[in-house]
Amino acid sequence: MNLALDHLADNPIIDELVCWPPRTQRIKSVRACSAMFRKPFIEVECGDGEVFHRHFARDSFADYWAEAWVILDTLTTIELISDFDFKPVAEPEKLARQVLQTRDECIAESDLMFEQGMYSQFLMQYGEDCKNLPAQALQRIAEARKQVEPAG
């Protein structure tokens, strides 16, 4: 969910995945690489085949990747690939609960847009990669898509 990811963008990896307006293509996979003689990076493959890379400072990259893994696994359908071993976050279940709480708060925030008939803006809060959304959110997404599709 784009809005939730935006709220979690203090993680620099997540920050690199968030853009406004959101991408029209889903993200197929994110691969993290941390080789000895290169700057760590992520490789992002989009659903249309586009691939882009983002480089990071070596300090804390593994920690940021461990956190990003939980965030992305909790909120998205993105395939996560790690080309290096990393230590998982200390309490992944606790972090996942916090991520879901953030998601639920963002859903409530986006519901205000839906209720005001701001369907395009509402849809921008979600994106193509969401998983495990509540039934009401899925219904509202479907209704908003109907409202913004051209007639005919």
Side-chain angles (χ1 to χ4, degrees), residues 20-128:
W20 294 100
R23 293 175 185 81
T24 57
Q25 287 289 316
R26 70 179 202 84
I27 294 176
K28 181 179 174 186
S29 66
V30 176
R31 180 173 69 99
C33 302
S34 183
M36 185 171 295
F37 298 109
R38 294 178 61 186
K39 287 179 78 173
F41 66 94
I42 58 170
E43 177 182 83
V44 179
E45 181 181 357
C46 298
D48 63 357
E50 175 192 359
V51 175
F52 64 90
H53 297 88
R54 297 293 185 264
H55 290 83
F56 300 88
R58 184 162 303 282
D59 294 347
S60 303
F61 178 74
D63 294 336
Y64 287 130
W65 175 244
E67 182 182 64
W69 184 288
V70 173
I71 293 168
L72 294 172
D73 187 55
T74 301
L75 293 178
T76 74
T77 59
I78 297 170
E79 177 186 6
L80 302 171
I81 305 161
S82 185
D83 285 354
F84 68 101
D85 292 327
F86 62 94
K87 181 181 172 190
V89 294
E91 298 181 65
E93 298 84 13
K94 180 180 178 183
L95 177 56
R97 283 191 305 275
Q98 292 169 339
V99 168
L100 289 173
Q101 180 180 349
T102 298
R103 181 203 64 184
D104 292 345
E105 291 167 0
C106 290
I107 288 172
E109 188 177 327
S110 70
D111 282 347
L112 298 173
M113 293 176 201
F114 181 88
E115 291 163 6
Q116 294 297 314
M118 300 168 63
Y119 301 116
S120 294
Q121 295 88 337
F122 170 81
L123 289 171
M124 281 195 274
Q125 310 312 305
Y126 289 90
E128 299 298 319

Side-chain angles (χ1 to χ4, degrees), residues 1 75 77 103-104 107-108 110-111 114 119 122-123 125-147 149:
M1 177 174 190
L75 293 178
T77 59
R103 181 203 64 184
D104 292 345
I107 288 172
S110 70
D111 282 347
F114 181 88
Y119 301 116
F122 170 81
L123 289 171
Q125 310 312 305
Y126 289 90
E128 299 298 319
D129 308 311
C130 300
K131 79 174 184 187
N132 300 328
L133 288 173
Q136 182 182 18
L138 293 172
Q139 291 169 344
R140 287 185 170 203
I141 290 169
E143 177 61 29
R145 285 183 175 148
K146 286 180 190 175
Q147 295 294 328
E149 288 177 359

